[in-house]
Amino acid sequence: MYAHLLKPLFDFLLAFVLLLLFSPLILVVSAMVFISMGSPVLFKQERPGKDENIFTIYKFRTMNNSVNAKGEPLEDKQRLTFIGKFLRSMSLDELPQLFNILKGEMSFIGPRPLLKEYLPLYNDEQKKRHRVKPGISGLAQVNGRNNISWK
């Protein structure tokens, strides 16, 4: 009952309330991104969710679209903007994921959704992460984010 009714209901209600409370902040961040990088304001990317179903994750854009002489995108660290660094350091780039929670694609707590390109690389143990909805936060974020090993 908890996993199928109470947790999704709690996630939906909390996401709805947080969207209302943070709507002024979301508007300010949207304006900052638009002024510093232009349109689009949101970064969208396909990620695997529960049962490996692909969904579109939403984040605020933190990188510009700069390319080299061949028209290829520059490295991520070269495209990350000052505003983008700030948004990432404060995790404000994650605010649009509240819409993913409202849509029932994500939860507040769960394994972070990784790139769909990684799906063929998972072993049976690692595939277990797709038994639950991905989350905005999870064990890896609490224990050091990108500073911890895959294991």
Side-chain angles (χ1 to χ4, degrees):
M1 180 168 161
Y2 171 77
H4 298 292
L5 181 65
L6 295 179
K7 188 171 189 301
L9 180 62
F10 173 79
D11 283 343
F12 181 87
L13 293 174
L14 183 58
F16 185 78
V17 169
L18 289 176
L19 277 169
L20 290 176
L21 290 174
F22 290 142
S23 60
L25 178 61
I26 291 170
L27 288 172
V28 168
V29 171
S30 297
M32 288 171 45
V33 171
F34 183 77
I35 291 167
S36 69
M37 290 178 268
S39 186
V41 171
L42 293 181
F43 170 77
K44 301 175 190 175
Q45 189 175 53
E46 290 186 336
R47 302 278 179 101
K50 187 174 187 307
D51 301 322
E52 297 184 9
N53 291 321
I54 305 299
F55 72 100
T56 302
I57 194 170
Y58 306 109
K59 293 185 177 194
F60 282 116
R61 259 180 72 204
T62 58
M63 294 191 282
N64 61 36
N65 295 324
S66 298
V67 294
N68 63 20
K70 296 179 184 178
E72 301 163 338
L74 296 175
E75 291 182 33
D76 288 358
K77 64 182 177 183
Q78 293 175 296
R79 297 185 305 130
L80 185 61
T81 65
F82 175 78
I83 296 294
K85 287 178 190 174
F86 171 74
L87 294 178
R88 287 184 180 187
S89 71
M90 302 296 289
S91 295
L92 295 174
D93 62 320
E94 311 276 350
L95 282 174
Q97 291 175 40
L98 291 170
F99 290 105
N100 289 111
I101 293 175
L102 283 181
K103 291 171 64 177
E105 300 164 331
M106 290 182 71
S107 182
F108 280 98
I109 305 298
R112 291 292 295 152
L114 301 176
L115 299 174
K116 67 180 184 178
E117 290 80 15
Y118 296 164
L119 283 173
L121 305 176
Y122 294 134
N123 63 34
D124 290 339
E125 183 68 22
Q126 294 162 341
K127 284 183 181 188
K128 290 179 181 178
R129 70 181 301 136
H130 297 290
R131 291 182 181 173
V132 296
K133 287 182 187 176
I136 291 177
S137 186
L139 190 59
Q141 286 66 44
V142 175
N143 288 314
R145 283 190 158 183
N146 296 332
N147 297 326
I148 58 175
S149 72
W150 175 254
K151 290 183 180 185

